[in-house]
Amino acid sequence: MILTVTLNTALDITYRVPSLRPHSSHRITEVVERPGGKGINVARVLAAIGHEVTVTGFAGGATGRTVREGLTATQGVTDALVQVAGATRRTIAVVDATTGDTTQLNEPGPVVSPAEWNAFTAAYEDLVRSASAVALCGSLPPGVPVGAYGQLVRVARGASVPVLLDTSGEPLRRGVAARPDIVKPNADELAELTGSHEPGQATRDARRRGAHAVVASLGAEGLLALTAGGRWRAAPPETVRGNPTGAGDSAVAGLLSGLVEQLPWPDRLARAVALSAATVRAPVAGEFDARTYAELRDRVRVTELAGPAQTV
């Protein structure tokens, strides 16, 4: 079982409009609702490619009930969310059908009390013991300690369970110091962490801060990976156009499934890039297009880069 953690779960709502124009009314042509938050997106993709997944985090209020009902209907995904008094947030994506562009509106999430955080950490410690790998994903809701991911990384490592961290800002900085097995920032998150806007230097700096492996998402240009065994660049064979929402989460699913299956790094990266590109092409934000994935997974370009990996 793979465990994904989404501390700031959400009900993802996607509106499609003919054309998005500021300061005007819009007629919505399509509405899609589904459980969301980065770790839940990761879980959905993992289940779709054949892995059993348990999701944990927080859920509360009427929105939280809707999220849990959606998880119950998702084959291969087990709900282990912890109940809180506050209401689960909503995220709203407005897709402009003319341009394909997406405008995202994200609520902050419920305020989590110290007692609720303690209940979650106790549940997490139990779940980790039966996990083959853990993904810690996304933002922190109000009330959760800023060092939460560092704490959760240490619990997983104490249980000898590999852990991937995908967050940003100060939670990423503190989480990296706890030495996760993999961190997967995007280019902006990596620059904020290290102060360097040059991806090669930034991945080396991030690894020196404690991460065993750094996989940087470079958008349409693919992934840059620095591990103890080498450095690789993985890119799709052609530019894929569409909605990039959730593409990074699909990349996490590719990396985590490859880790559990003990694939070599080039194969993990190829899977991650193919899933990410297939997500961009999917009609609903955060899903992946199975046909695109099948077309791309053997055509991703993975290049080993010269020079030794930076040791920690």
Side-chain angles (χ1 to χ4, degrees):
M1 176 270 287
I2 298 175
L3 178 64
T4 71
V5 175
T6 312
L7 295 178
N8 212 0
T9 55
L11 179 64
D12 286 347
I13 304 169
T14 300
Y15 292 146
R16 185 173 293 273
V17 297
S19 178
L20 182 61
R21 302 179 306 279
H23 315 299
S24 63
S25 297
H26 295 79
R27 186 174 298 278
I28 297 169
T29 58
E30 182 183 15
V31 181
V32 177
E33 290 187 355
R34 50 140 212 201
K38 292 179 72 64
I40 289 179
N41 294 342
V42 171
R44 185 184 296 108
V45 175
L46 285 168
I49 61 176
H51 287 270
E52 293 294 321
V53 192
T54 295
V55 299
T56 191
F58 297 109
T63 307
R65 287 194 295 273
T66 302
V67 167
R68 302 189 86 155
E69 289 167 1
L71 289 175
T72 299
T74 305
Q75 187 174 0
V77 176
T78 298
D79 172 9
L81 295 172
V82 174
Q83 191 71 25
V84 293
T88 296
R89 67 186 178 135
R90 295 162 298 179
T91 66
I92 298 173
V94 183
V95 180
D96 184 321
T98 301
T99 65
D101 293 337
T102 300
T103 299
Q104 193 80 20
L105 304 171
N106 297 333
E107 295 179 357
V111 176
V112 176
S113 72
E116 289 167 339
W117 172 245
N118 290 337
F120 168 79
T121 56
Y124 172 78
E125 289 172 4
D126 287 340
L127 290 166
V128 164
R129 285 196 273 273
S130 57
S132 55
V134 177
L136 306 173
C137 303
S139 61
L140 303 180
V144 170
V146 70
Y149 282 133
Q151 178 181 347
L152 301 183
V153 168
R154 286 188 288 272
V155 169
R157 291 189 56 78
S160 299
V161 176
V163 56
L164 182 152
L165 177 62
D166 182 15
T167 187
S168 61
E170 190 62 21
L172 174 61
R173 189 181 309 279
R174 298 198 187 193
V176 166
R179 301 178 63 81
D181 294 87
I182 305 171
V183 293
K184 195 221 65 69
N186 63 33
D188 290 340
E189 292 162 351
L190 188 62
E192 183 182 7
L193 173 67
T194 65
S196 174
H197 291 271
E198 196 287 303
Q201 181 62 48
T203 54
R204 289 190 291 273
D205 289 348
R207 194 158 185 268
R208 278 195 291 267
R209 290 170 182 264
H212 289 258
V214 180
V215 181
S217 176
L218 306 179
E221 297 179 12
L223 300 173
L224 176 65
L226 176 62
T227 79
R231 301 167 61 232
W232 290 273
R233 182 72 175 267
E238 67 256 356
T239 299
V240 176
R241 301 190 183 282
N243 182 0
T245 304
D249 304 330
S250 293
V252 168
L255 295 171
L256 206 60
S257 62
L259 183 155
V260 169
E261 296 170 29
Q262 299 183 333
L263 299 180
W265 268 104
D267 292 345
R268 299 185 203 181
L269 296 169
R271 178 182 291 180
V273 168
L275 283 170
S276 181
T279 299
V280 171
R281 190 166 286 175
V284 177
E287 303 287 351
F288 77 92
D289 183 79
R291 178 177 296 181
T292 299
Y293 174 56
E295 290 173 354
L296 293 181
R297 61 188 174 190
D298 295 326
R299 297 171 53 220
V300 173
R301 302 188 302 270
V302 182
T303 304
E304 186 166 12
L305 302 178
Q310 175 68 44
T311 58
V312 177

